[in-house]
Amino acid sequence: MWRVVGQVVGVAALWVSLAAPSQARELLHMVSRGDHNARYTETMIRLALDKAGYAYTLNIHPGDLTAARQQRDTREGRIDIMWSATSRELEETLLPVRIPLYKGLIGHRIFITHPDNIERLNTVETLDQLRAFSYGQGVDWPDARILKDNGFDVREESFDRLITMVHAKRFEIFPRGVHEPWSEVSNRPGLELSIDARIMLVYPMPFYLFVTPEHPELAQALERGLMRAIEDGSFDRLFRSSPMVQAVINRAGVGQRKVFFLENRALSDQTPLEDPRLWVSLEELAPSS
């Protein structure tokens, strides 16, 4: 367990702890890959805890854990908060905060591929034609299961290997969140990579915070704070001002893409699909005229 328990030593310290108990700060442990997903999520965590009035210090450990390892460490209390696209299994073993941080944007997927595949992608008109390609996804990512459930041929590898495997033609398509491909491609100028400009997959994919079962009051504070941020507009302001959303609006060409909708059979019955405040529409992602 990484959590730190403070000890009160001496009369002066005891007086301070009694006079100002609200100043006690919880040390919260997270593991972060340090990419834009992590930076955005960390900002949302701070917003939620501040809105909830929860005194905290974030201890962010750099790392790139597999999904299975991160889930285990969170379940066992070595990690306090993690973030992931949801699944029924995750919600049964960890404490989900059922407010989609990306308003469902993660379920809008466009493709990183080798340039040699672009001409073939330009001829795709049906889901069956899309299923004829080979796909790569991260080990234990919920997206891998969604694609498999919808009849796609998926190879699972670690994140760092996936990009190089596209370049090496080990598989043909690496679906990414609609805001993600540009930085991932530009950061690897030595690889032969292209971003498909024509097709988009869309499936319901809530991206939640998950809390260790040992810390239920933290999960409650995060939910309370995020709902307050939604109600006062600060959640949407952060979402819409983020480079992620700006990249989608300015670069993804959502309105010009051919959209294929897929099922997500892994969602729990408690997914808040009917609350429009929590989800983004395709119209909102189009540039203003």
Side-chain angles (χ1 to χ4, degrees), residues 189-252:
L191 302 184
E192 290 187 272
L193 301 169
S194 291
I195 300 169
D196 171 65
R198 181 171 175 267
I199 292 170
M200 183 165 65
L201 297 178
V202 176
Y203 44 81
M205 174 54 74
F207 190 87
Y208 291 157
L209 297 174
F210 290 89
V211 175
T212 175
E214 298 187 12
H215 217 344
E217 73 283 0
L218 174 60
Q220 294 164 7
L222 287 165
E223 181 173 358
R224 183 169 67 250
L226 286 175
M227 286 308 302
R228 287 176 179 171
I230 289 168
E231 289 163 1
D232 69 18
S234 55
F235 184 107
D236 268 6
R237 285 193 295 273
L238 177 58
F239 174 75
R240 295 184 186 285
S241 67
S242 70
M244 166 198 73
V245 176
Q246 292 303 310
V248 172
I249 292 173
N250 296 327
R251 306 182 74 173

Side-chain angles (χ1 to χ4, degrees), residues 109 112 130-149 151-176:
R109 314 294 286 189
I112 295 176
L130 267 188
R131 292 185 181 108
F133 290 84
S134 57
Y135 294 77
Q137 289 285 269
V139 176
D140 295 323
W141 286 6
D143 307 83
R145 175 173 172 178
I146 292 170
L147 291 172
K148 289 177 181 179
D149 284 346
F152 290 80
D153 174 25
V154 180
R155 178 167 182 172
E156 297 182 58
E157 297 285 350
S158 66
F159 177 81
D160 287 337
R161 293 191 63 195
L162 287 165
I163 294 281
T164 58
M165 290 175 75
V166 174
H167 162 79
K169 300 185 179 180
R170 301 288 296 279
F171 55 81
E172 294 164 307
I173 293 175
F174 183 20
R176 303 301 292 136

